[in-house]
Amino acid sequence: MMAREYRLGTLRKTVNALVKPLLARGVPAAGKGGVLLTTKGRKSGLERTTPVNVVEAGGDRWLVAPYGAVAWVHNLRADAVARLSRGRTAETWEVEEADAATAAPVLQAYVRQIPVTAPYFDAKGSDPVEAFEAEADRHPVFRLARSRA
């Protein structure tokens, strides 16, 4: 069975539209690690904000792209600065994209902690970490490296 392919359809747009104002008010709406990620648009230079989940693994905090190389991934690759906010709390971070070996245990932790994204992975949460290394090229992972507080 192959992983489902992500498409930003009406349902996801509606969910994002409902979750964004909740997170902006400080309500943990997108799961325990739900935050608003703001990046600089790689073409427009305008700020772009989307709800994401931050996962903690291996003593670090990570951004995972469970749906593949979506717009915020391209934006972070062009300008490795991420502003994370929920309510009145906001932090700006420099991010580093992880290689496959580093990303594998993070992806495994992500699927286990946020199972709603599992259909977009070939590997299952119970699979060994090596199965997630093969997923890394389809699910970019970024370490929150240095706070710019």
Side-chain angles (χ1 to χ4, degrees):
M1 188 169 184
M2 290 193 57
R4 188 183 316 169
E5 187 176 322
Y6 177 76
R7 295 213 192 304
L8 182 61
T10 305
L11 178 60
R12 175 55 56 191
K13 287 179 184 178
T14 302
V15 169
N16 285 350
L18 294 171
V19 168
K20 282 171 75 171
L22 292 173
L23 289 171
R25 287 179 180 81
V27 178
K32 182 176 143 186
V35 296
L36 291 175
L37 166 66
T38 301
T39 59
K40 185 169 101 178
R42 67 194 177 282
K43 294 179 183 176
S44 69
L46 300 174
E47 288 191 344
R48 303 293 183 195
T49 301
T50 189
V52 297
N53 283 290
V54 173
V55 66
E56 293 189 23
D60 287 310
R61 295 174 68 205
W62 304 86
L63 292 172
V64 174
Y67 308 121
V70 293
W72 66 260
V73 170
H74 297 294
N75 292 344
L76 284 180
R77 286 175 173 164
D79 181 17
V81 176
R83 189 172 77 235
L84 302 177
S85 61
R86 182 170 16 173
R88 294 181 181 175
T89 303
E91 296 177 286
T92 301
W93 293 85
E94 292 180 24
V95 299
E96 297 172 349
E97 189 165 1
D99 62 23
T102 304
V106 177
L107 291 171
Q108 183 184 48
Y110 193 90
V111 168
R112 288 177 176 172
Q113 290 176 29
I114 307 168
V116 71
T117 62
Y120 298 94
F121 290 81
D122 287 326
K124 304 300 171 219
S126 59
D127 288 346
V129 72
E130 294 79 17
F132 288 89
E133 195 166 341
E135 299 270 356
D137 64 329
R138 294 184 304 122
H139 304 283
V141 173
F142 296 86
R143 183 171 69 89
L144 300 176
R146 286 174 294 285
S147 176
R148 290 183 148 191

